[in-house]
Amino acid sequence: MNYVGKPVKRINDKKFVSGKSQYVDDIQTSSLHAGFVRSPYAHARIRSIDLSDALKTRGVVAIFTGKDLNPMLKDGPGPWVTYIDPKDWKYVPRRALAEEPRYVGDPVAIVLGVDRYSVADAVDKVNVDYEELPAVTKMEDALSDKSMVHKELGTNVGYRKDFIAGNVETAFKSADKVIPVEASNSRLIPSPMEPRGIVVRYESGSLTVWYSTQIPHFAREEFSKDFGIPSSRIRVIMPDVGGAFGSKAHFISEDLAVVASSIKLGRTVRWTATRSEEMISSNSRHNSFKGEVAVKNDGTLLGIRGELLVDLGAYLTYTEGLQPAIIPLMVPGPYRVKNLRLTSTAVYTNTPPITMYRGASRPEATFIIERIMSTVADELHMDDLELRERNLVRADEMPYKNPFGLTYDSGDYLSFMREAKEKLKYAEMKKWAEEERKKGKMVGVGTAFYLEISAFGPWEYGEVRVDEMGDVTVITGGTPHGQGTDTGLAQLVADELQVDISRVNVVWGDTQVVASGTGTYGSRTISIAGSAVKIASSQVLEKMKRIAARMLKADVEEVSYSSGEFIHKDGRKLSWNDVARMAYTGNDPGLYSSVTLEGDVTFPYGLHLAVVEVDETGIAKVKEYRACDDIGRVINPALAEAQIHGGAMQGVGQALYEEARIEDNGQLGVSYAEYFVPTMVESPRYVSYFTENPFQSKYTTGTKGVGEAALIVGPAAIVRAIEDAVGKRFNKTPVTPEEIYKAMKDRR
């Protein structure tokens, strides 16, 4: 019996494909519906709110403003202190409802009614008298502090830090060439299939929250802190979650307003975001880098210096603080550049708040360093991969401490690069593209190398129970939201216990069932949560061996276990089921073990290749996407490959189509009619390999994480392919047809 390493089919998909899965909006309970009155201005002061007409609407039960609900909060969401040091930040904790709205869509009142239609009617009847205030919607303008988003902070700069390593001045003085580099990521919208949603029941001092989230235990902690309710009296339940991509690992004002309303009324309250509300609830990316790189004529990187500017939107969200802190740390990437000086600045603007999104920080860092490598290759007339090979960290330098102190745990980047070049047929594809261009076709081949930081600690919880019938329940602090991680966890446990995988049930996402948990994000779950349940499984099995030995009247050392049988050295055997049943009789009954496993980061890496074709109007299409990755041990190749496909698809969107344009007045300038999330029509053909010589992580699973890889590197590879096709440089995402067409005209 061996499940690990095989493409085992997802164990719980029947309910998804049959429409029987249960999301927050499917929760059947008597409840009031909530809707929000939102600011039409990017920045305004509220002179008055007239609720009289709205309260006359049939079915409306109550309407609350900030004056009603905000005093109920003892605190409000700030940065994620597990990973972010609040001392580095200037910020104002968010409240339930804005009394001075700071972006278009900032909720200023909540309407509660018996159905969503009554609520929608009443929302339109709330009359708010606003005094419009000066607003700043561009992060570059925010630096001047001419108009301040939070006057009480005295500045729009929420974070500024210099990241300095080596001797930058000497490096640039000794350079043969200094080359300017720019790299920008436009504002994106994560766009999960299921919009945000929350149902809150408050009774007898206890709070039950059904919540579309990635982090139920952190949510329990946050609601406890914000409302002063003991966490032991709060239960957060995560039903099926239809995608999150990092955007559901944070809390928004609407969540707080729903909780506060439930407490105030003593009734159950529910809210599910419309698509339009989802679009403004969490934007992502939006940052720029301007700098220069010092190089030798042979392509050796000597130093990098530059300025990183990160947009925060109107408020510091739970997760956005990660990006200005992590991007600089990852800029050196897999290369041996030692001398860097990077200033990271994050500013508030009167725009929807920014949250993390699949890969958060690592796509930006990868885009910066791979733009640097591609630009240097152009300037020195070197092949892209030849330049990268010259600068890659060598195997004999592992583990390698990068200039900012991150320790890359394992890998042989150079050997991997050579293997990947062969697998991806890099040379053949470059030659093919060249021949096609001679025939008049505009096709290009682009590559990019990435180094990811993943499997974040600090810890994760895992529990394994074997019941009287011998069936296995796995309880994990991980919180899969569409990845099929439960299948991977079941594979690990089934192999460890050597039982049929159909006997293994994986449970997650309920704070009353799962003792503790950190959640799913950052490509961490199989590595840290998987290792926790694997260790717990081995502990349960050890107890079963002791029980078997007692049943056989033997020493435990005389008993071995294999494929469901406990075997004495003299040949006597006991079945798995017999030992499980015996475990619930006599002294010390029960078969269960829990592990809270500490963990550290690990560093997967890979080379991806994109083939792009451009038509005469400037419209680019990714025809093929090839990936080769070292993600450590591969638990389920089908699940891992699916993550590559999904990430690459979102990479196509970021590179070519998606841009959450903000108008000068702060209004989100797109709906899903103009915000082009790629569909199957825009999907390339995928080819995915995992290296034949993986370097395993220190986790018990040996895994390194794959959930974000393709979106981390995809935009850089695709933009490079467009450059190869058009013969012009592009330093931002998305690369629009207008920009490509202009470049084509300029070239003629």
Side-chain angles (χ1 to χ4, degrees):
M1 195 172 299
N2 187 356
Y3 295 103
V4 170
K6 294 180 179 174
V8 175
K9 285 187 178 179
R10 294 162 54 123
I11 58 176
N12 286 320
D13 274 4
K14 188 175 180 182
K15 65 176 180 179
F16 294 114
V17 298
S18 63
K20 293 178 180 173
S21 48
Q22 187 180 56
Y23 302 96
V24 166
D25 202 50
D26 298 320
I27 300 296
Q28 297 295 312
T29 182
S30 175
S31 60
L32 296 176
H33 292 256
F36 290 93
V37 180
R38 297 177 181 278
S39 170
Y41 299 107
H43 196 186
R45 183 176 297 117
I46 297 174
R47 293 196 187 101
S48 63
I49 302 181
D50 182 356
L51 306 177
S52 53
D53 285 347
L55 284 169
K56 294 174 186 171
T57 306
R58 180 181 296 178
V60 166
V61 173
I63 304 175
F64 299 128
T65 67
K67 287 185 170 53
D68 302 312
L69 301 188
N70 291 342
M72 296 172 64
L73 272 71
K74 299 184 183 308
D75 200 352
W80 197 352
V81 295
T82 301
Y83 300 107
I84 301 163
D85 187 348
K87 293 196 296 295
D88 292 339
W89 284 87
K90 291 185 176 181
Y91 70 97
V92 177
R94 290 193 79 174
R95 314 307 291 175
L97 295 166
E99 295 177 65
E100 180 181 317
R102 291 182 168 86
Y103 68 94
V104 175
D106 209 353
V108 300
I110 181 171
V111 177
L112 291 312
V114 296
D115 62 73
R116 64 185 65 189
Y117 307 105
S118 303
V119 168
D121 287 344
V123 164
D124 290 340
K125 294 176 184 174
V126 173
N127 187 7
V128 184
D129 183 14
Y130 294 99
E131 176 191 352
E132 190 173 1
L133 299 175
V136 55
T137 56
K138 293 182 171 53
M139 57 181 179
E140 295 81 3
D141 295 341
L143 286 168
S144 71
D145 286 335
K146 192 174 176 183
S147 298
M148 278 189 276
V149 180
H150 299 278
K151 202 170 183 179
E152 58 268 50
L153 296 181
T155 178
N156 287 323
V157 176
Y159 174 93
R160 177 170 285 155
K161 187 172 183 179
D162 292 322
F163 293 80
I164 301 171
N167 191 326
V168 180
E169 298 309 317
T170 300
F172 274 78
K173 283 178 184 172
S174 60
D176 293 326
K177 207 162 190 173
V178 173
I179 301 169
V181 180
E182 293 186 19
S184 299
N185 293 272
S186 294
R187 179 183 287 251
L188 299 176
I189 298 170
S191 305
M193 292 283 284
E194 180 204 10
R196 302 182 68 88
I198 186 168
V199 179
V200 181
R201 175 187 295 155
Y202 181 75
E203 56 187 359
S204 305
S206 294
L207 204 61
T208 303
V209 182
W210 291 265
Y211 195 24
S212 184
T213 180
Q214 298 169 236
I215 48 172
H217 286 83
F218 282 114
R220 182 182 64 176
E221 179 185 317
E222 185 65 37
F223 295 144
S224 174
K225 175 176 74 74
D226 293 343
F227 292 98
I229 300 172
S231 60
S232 58
R233 306 204 68 168
I234 299 176
R235 179 183 184 185
V236 177
I237 304 166
M238 169 192 172
D240 292 323
V241 169
F245 308 122
S247 71
K248 291 177 182 171
H250 81 122
F251 315 100
I252 61 177
S253 291
E254 290 89 334
D255 301 334
L256 301 178
V258 171
V259 174
S261 298
S262 179
I263 295 172
K264 200 169 184 68
L265 295 173
R267 298 181 64 175
T268 302
V269 177
R270 69 189 311 144
W271 173 68
T272 300
T274 64
R275 287 288 170 196
S276 298
E277 288 177 317
E278 177 62 38
M279 292 187 86
I280 58 171
S281 70
S282 53
N283 288 185
S284 61
R285 303 276 198 272
H286 201 209
N287 40 65
S288 67
F289 174 82
K290 290 184 180 179
E292 50 191 4
V293 53
V295 293
K296 288 287 190 186
N297 283 332
D298 66 0
T300 304
L301 263 64
L302 299 178
I304 299 171
R305 60 190 178 194
E307 305 270 343
L308 173 69
L309 184 58
V310 177
D311 194 353
L312 299 170
Y315 301 96
L316 178 61
T317 62
Y318 201 57
T319 58
E320 172 58 2
L322 291 166
Q323 294 173 58
I326 292 181
I327 293 171
L329 299 179
M330 292 298 293
V331 163
Y335 307 112
R336 289 183 292 168
V337 57
K338 300 281 190 184
N339 307 296
L340 302 103
R341 187 177 65 228
L342 308 172
T343 299
S344 178
T345 305
V347 293
Y348 294 103
T349 58
N350 292 109
T351 62
I354 302 285
T355 69
M356 70 179 183
Y357 171 45
R358 198 171 187 172
S361 311
R362 295 149 289 168
E364 293 92 332
T366 301
F367 196 60
I368 291 169
I369 187 62
E370 290 303 288
R371 282 285 79 211
I372 287 172
M373 301 306 286
S374 296
T375 303
V376 170
D378 287 343
E379 294 294 325
L380 299 182
H381 306 291
M382 292 180 69
D383 173 76
D384 276 0
L385 296 192
E386 180 189 348
L387 177 79
R388 285 165 172 80
E389 284 185 18
R390 180 174 295 279
N391 289 284
L392 284 172
V393 171
R394 306 290 161 167
D396 61 5
E397 296 173 291
M398 289 291 181
Y400 175 83
K401 183 175 282 191
N402 93 351
F404 295 131
L406 293 178
T407 301
Y408 305 166
D409 51 351
S410 64
D412 183 347
Y413 303 157
L414 198 57
S415 295
F416 169 85
M417 169 82 86
R418 290 166 182 160
E419 177 189 342
K421 279 169 65 176
E422 291 298 318
K423 286 186 181 301
L424 303 181
K425 301 186 186 305
Y426 170 72
E428 293 94 322
M429 292 306 297
K430 291 290 286 184
K431 188 174 179 182
W432 166 82
E434 194 175 331
E435 293 299 320
E436 290 295 299
R437 288 195 290 270
K438 287 177 184 173
K439 298 174 191 171
K441 276 194 169 183
M442 278 186 290
V443 296
V445 173
T447 54
F449 199 101
Y450 78 94
L451 177 72
E452 181 182 355
I453 180 172
S454 66
F456 294 87
W459 54 267
E460 194 50 271
Y461 177 82
E463 180 179 344
V464 172
R465 304 174 185 171
V466 176
D467 65 23
E468 299 94 322
M469 305 297 288
D471 294 327
V472 182
T473 299
V474 177
I475 300 173
T476 176
T479 53
H481 38 272
Q483 302 93 328
T485 316
D486 48 337
T487 304
L489 296 177
Q491 287 176 254
L492 288 162
V493 171
D495 268 6
E496 192 69 26
L497 299 179
Q498 299 177 49
V499 298
D500 193 284
I501 197 169
S502 65
R503 303 189 73 172
V504 181
N505 184 39
V506 183
V507 177
W508 68 88
D510 184 338
T511 59
Q512 204 163 80
V513 174
V514 185
S516 61
T518 305
T520 287
Y521 48 85
S523 301
R524 68 192 296 277
T525 306
I526 281 293
S527 294
I528 188 165
S531 295
V533 298
K534 195 169 187 296
I535 293 168
S537 299
S538 68
Q539 292 174 351
V540 168
L541 190 57
E542 283 305 308
K543 182 173 182 181
M544 293 183 79
K545 281 183 184 175
R546 292 198 298 274
I547 293 166
R550 192 166 67 234
M551 293 170 71
L552 293 165
K553 301 186 187 317
D555 293 332
V556 68
E557 293 79 12
E558 297 173 329
V559 177
S560 62
Y561 174 73
S562 178
S563 301
E565 291 185 322
F566 295 86
I567 308 162
H568 189 268
K569 64 180 183 181
D570 66 7
R572 289 179 293 152
K573 295 179 181 177
L574 292 170
S575 73
W576 169 272
N577 289 354
D578 287 341
V579 175
R581 195 171 298 112
M582 180 58 69
Y584 288 85
T585 64
N587 297 328
D588 189 21
L591 287 172
Y592 33 79
S593 181
S594 62
V595 171
T596 300
L597 181 70
E598 284 187 291
D600 200 356
V601 294
T602 182
F603 292 83
Y605 55 93
L607 180 72
H608 289 204
L609 179 149
V611 180
V612 168
E613 183 171 344
V614 179
D615 71 13
E616 68 278 6
T617 67
I619 294 176
K621 181 174 174 60
V622 182
K623 304 291 288 186
E624 187 160 331
Y625 192 92
R626 301 181 181 185
C628 189
D629 299 271
D630 180 355
I631 60 169
R633 191 180 190 193
V634 180
I635 303 301
N636 185 321
L639 290 178
E641 195 171 342
Q643 290 301 309
I644 295 293
H645 290 186
M649 190 69 161
Q650 289 179 302
V652 170
Q654 180 175 337
L656 295 179
Y657 307 120
E658 297 183 40
E659 182 173 12
R661 194 177 65 253
I662 301 289
E663 308 292 359
D664 289 342
N665 64 0
Q667 176 73 45
L668 180 64
V670 294
S671 67
Y672 277 116
E674 302 90 10
Y675 187 83
F676 301 122
V677 178
T679 67
M680 287 304 294
V681 175
E682 290 80 29
S683 176
R685 177 175 178 268
Y686 297 108
V687 180
S688 178
Y689 302 99
F690 299 105
T691 180
E692 293 166 5
N693 302 298
F695 281 81
Q696 298 195 358
S697 73
K698 292 179 181 174
Y699 282 104
T700 305
T701 56
T703 56
K704 287 185 168 182
V706 67
E708 300 158 294
L711 184 51
I712 286 171
V713 66
I718 294 166
V719 169
R720 187 57 170 164
I722 300 170
E723 291 182 337
D724 193 42
V726 177
K728 286 284 185 178
R729 188 169 297 160
F730 301 95
N731 291 317
K732 61 174 276 293
T733 62
V735 183
T736 65
E738 291 84 356
E739 291 162 342
I740 296 174
Y741 185 71
K742 183 176 184 307
M744 290 159 54
K745 280 185 67 177
D746 292 345
R747 196 184 63 174
R748 287 171 191 153

